[in-house]
């Protein structure tokens, strides 16, 4: 296996040489540098002591946590023998000290404790009950097979960072798979990405409630080919019940008009969900992340503008796609900036959204948005 050296953030690391990233025996995706930038920034704000990168591959995410956040103890794990070998080499490239190896686990003691483990992620998390302050699940595909164990391994007031790359499932292209994996009915069309993210969040909320854990969505977003969420936990049955009260269903008409309702069971037919209808970000966290960003050199050139967009986005459920609405109602498309300006002139809140460059988030009623598109 031929290795080549790469750099990302403060880290140097080796990856297998391959024509395509999916052909490599150990996976590394440079596009996900933005994902890892955001993860490091959140960790710098939250200051977790113990972090687990449960599905590490090359180890780049865990190594960046160790190099760029205040974490005192970082665990890297992968079931692959090749990945385990590369992780040990990559840790050696970035940290002084000798690796002490015992069975399928290696340790490096220095300013921080780095633990490199080869094994099944569920097995490792099961062995470390309520141990990690921040547990990061970044799988290829759905995180569902790891979710239960992760919720037992993270501390009761800890944070779960979770990625889902099965966007086709969550966005309705494979509706039966979504029902099977997430116990939810997805929607297709212009609302699919936001609904898919909210289905993922709603599923975590339902799973966490079994352990009397309430969920606070610190930050959740859609980007490129994946969904990503940072979820804080609050201990107690009442906290869990409060989180469950934020679940509900979505409806959409042919005109593009949508409605949603917080309820345990839908009272009307053709409902999509259940899904999370609460906030997608914590304002306090976003303020702190913005401050951290001022002195941070991101690995991805789009990290700063993306976080600025997230910070300025109106946090209300769902959005209106101006192009889709125009097509559905026989109207001319209007620039997003013009729609926002007109809505604000009418006294409503409005903003761009990261879910689509042609969409608007607003608290204005559907009829008002249509009138604005008509030029009334």
């Amino acid at each position: 296996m031929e290795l080549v050296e790469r750099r990302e953030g403060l880290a140097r690391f080796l990856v297998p040489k391959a024509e395509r990233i999916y052909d490599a025996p150990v996976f590394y995706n440079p596009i996900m540098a933005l994902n890892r930038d955001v993860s490091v920034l959140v960790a710098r704000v939250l200051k977790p002591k113990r972090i687990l990168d449960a599905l590490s591959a090359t180890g780049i995410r865990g190594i960046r946590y160790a190099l760029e956040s205040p974490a005192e103890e970082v665990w890297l794990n992968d079931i692959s023998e090749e990945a385990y070998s590369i992780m040990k080499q990559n840790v050696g490239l970035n940290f002084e000290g000798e690796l002490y190896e015992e069975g399928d686990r290696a340790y490096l003691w220095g300013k921080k404790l780095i633990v490199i483990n080869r094994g099944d992620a569920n097995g490792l998390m099961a062995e470390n009950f309520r141990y990690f302050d921040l547990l990061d699940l970044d799988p290829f595909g759905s995180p569902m097979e790891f979710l239960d164990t992760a919720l037992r391994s993270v501390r009761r007031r800890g944070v779960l960072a979770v990625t889902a790359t099965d966007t086709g499932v969550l966005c309705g292209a494979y509706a039966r798979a979504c029902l099977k994996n997430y116990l939810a009915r997805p929607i297709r069309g212009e609302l699919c990405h936001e609904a898919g993210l909210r289905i993922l969040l709603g599923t975590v909320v339902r799973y966490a409630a079994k352990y009397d854990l309430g969920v606070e969505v610190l930050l959740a977003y859609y980007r490129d080919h994946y969904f990503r969420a940072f979820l804080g936990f609050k201990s107690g049955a009442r906290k869990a019940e409060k989180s469950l009260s934020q679940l509900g269903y979505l409806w959409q008409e042919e005109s593009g008009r949508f409605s949603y309702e917080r309820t345990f069971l839908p009272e009307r037919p053709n409902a999509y969900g259940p899904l999370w209808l609460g906030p997608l970000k914590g304002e306090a966290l976003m303020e702190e992340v913005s401050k951290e960003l001022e002195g941070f050199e991101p690995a991805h050139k789009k990290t700063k503008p993306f976080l600025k967009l997230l910070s300025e986005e109106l946090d209300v459920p769902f959005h209106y796609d101006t192009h889709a609405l125009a097509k559905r109602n026989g109207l001319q498309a209007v620039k997003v900036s013009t729609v926002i300006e007109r809505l604000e002139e009418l006294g409503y809140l409005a903003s761009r959204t990261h879910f689509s460059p042609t969409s608007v988030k607003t608290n204005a009623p559907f009829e008002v948005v249509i009138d604005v598109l008509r030029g009334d």
Side-chain angles (χ1 to χ4, degrees):
M1 180 168 54
E2 184 180 354
L3 301 176
V4 293
E5 186 172 317
R6 296 280 187 266
R7 288 182 177 270
E8 184 180 302
L10 298 182
R12 298 166 55 207
F13 59 103
L14 301 170
V15 299
K17 187 175 182 179
E19 288 189 14
R20 302 186 313 146
I21 59 173
Y22 299 102
D23 297 331
V26 179
F27 188 69
Y28 166 71
N29 189 350
I31 292 175
M32 295 294 271
L34 184 147
N35 179 312
R36 291 183 285 268
D37 280 344
V38 177
S39 301
V40 166
L41 285 162
V42 171
R44 285 166 73 137
V45 170
L46 299 179
K47 298 177 173 57
K49 290 184 178 180
R50 296 169 176 165
I51 297 178
L52 169 63
D53 178 16
L55 304 157
S56 295
T58 63
I60 179 58
R61 183 181 298 271
I63 289 169
R64 288 194 62 189
Y65 274 135
L67 287 172
E68 302 176 50
S69 85
E72 298 172 6
E73 182 178 331
V74 177
W75 289 54
L76 315 180
N77 176 71
D78 204 284
I79 199 169
S80 158
E81 183 67 52
E82 293 94 338
Y84 180 62
S85 174
I86 289 176
M87 285 191 293
K88 288 187 292 182
Q89 293 179 70
N90 286 339
V91 167
L93 276 176
N94 291 278
F95 301 96
E96 294 181 357
E98 290 188 18
L99 281 175
Y100 168 72
E101 196 162 6
E102 189 177 79
D104 288 330
R105 185 171 293 176
Y107 303 85
L108 188 145
W109 283 278
K111 293 181 179 178
K112 301 186 178 188
L113 170 60
I114 312 294
V115 182
I116 309 162
N117 189 75
R118 187 181 80 83
D120 175 71
N122 277 323
L124 178 64
M125 291 187 290
E127 292 170 7
N128 291 276
F129 182 73
R130 300 281 175 250
Y131 187 76
F132 297 104
D133 300 294
L134 171 60
L135 196 155
D136 200 314
L137 283 180
D138 187 60
F140 184 79
S142 172
M144 292 306 298
E145 65 178 294
F146 307 104
L147 185 55
D148 254 320
T149 322
L151 288 168
R152 293 194 293 271
S153 188
V154 71
R155 296 184 65 177
R156 293 191 71 84
R157 296 182 185 275
V159 173
L160 174 66
V162 59
T163 303
T165 62
D166 55 337
T167 50
V169 173
L170 285 161
C171 292
Y174 308 100
R176 292 173 64 182
C178 189
L179 184 61
K180 173 178 67 71
N181 295 345
Y182 297 94
L183 304 175
R185 182 178 178 231
I187 189 172
R188 300 206 70 177
E190 64 268 25
L191 298 182
C192 74
H193 293 122
E194 183 168 352
L197 176 60
R198 291 182 181 276
I199 285 173
L200 172 65
L201 297 174
T203 307
V204 177
V205 166
R206 283 180 284 153
Y207 271 58
K210 296 184 297 183
Y211 306 108
D212 286 340
L213 290 172
V215 175
E216 178 186 6
V217 179
L218 302 172
L219 176 61
Y221 62 87
Y222 162 74
R223 176 82 191 184
D224 298 322
H225 62 285
Y226 65 89
F227 298 106
R228 179 70 165 167
F230 298 88
L231 307 172
F233 296 108
K234 297 182 177 181
S235 186
R238 289 186 178 179
K239 299 292 186 183
E241 290 166 5
K242 185 178 179 181
S243 295
L244 287 171
S245 71
Q246 292 273 37
L247 302 185
Y249 295 84
L250 165 70
W251 290 264
Q252 188 180 34
E253 300 173 10
E254 284 297 320
S255 63
R257 180 198 303 266
F258 63 76
S259 60
Y260 54 86
E261 183 180 358
R262 291 174 175 84
T263 180
F264 179 66
L265 291 173
E267 298 180 358
R268 292 178 280 153
N270 303 316
Y272 299 98
L275 39 72
W276 172 256
L277 292 172
L280 295 183
K281 60 183 177 182
E283 294 298 336
L285 177 83
M286 292 305 297
E287 286 180 14
E288 292 301 314
V289 166
S290 296
K291 289 178 185 177
E292 280 291 334
L293 196 56
E294 292 175 8
F296 180 75
E297 192 60 44
H300 197 289
K301 63 181 181 181
K302 294 186 179 179
T303 298
K304 286 188 175 182
F306 182 66
L307 282 171
K308 186 174 186 293
L309 176 61
L310 287 180
S311 181
E312 295 173 350
E313 184 172 331
L314 185 63
D315 199 0
V316 295
F318 305 108
H319 57 273
Y320 293 106
D321 187 301
T322 57
H323 287 195
L325 277 186
K327 186 175 181 181
R328 286 174 179 269
N329 294 277
L331 303 171
Q332 290 290 325
V334 180
K335 286 184 178 180
V336 170
S337 57
T338 303
V339 173
I340 292 172
E341 185 180 334
R342 290 178 181 172
L343 288 171
E344 288 177 338
E345 287 173 355
L346 293 170
Y348 296 101
L349 299 175
S351 77
R352 292 182 177 272
T353 173
H354 76 282
F355 289 109
S356 164
T358 57
S359 291
V360 173
K361 285 232 174 194
T362 181
N363 62 347
F366 173 76
E367 293 81 5
V368 172
V369 177
I370 289 296
D371 285 345
V372 166
L373 288 177
R374 284 199 184 102
D376 295 349

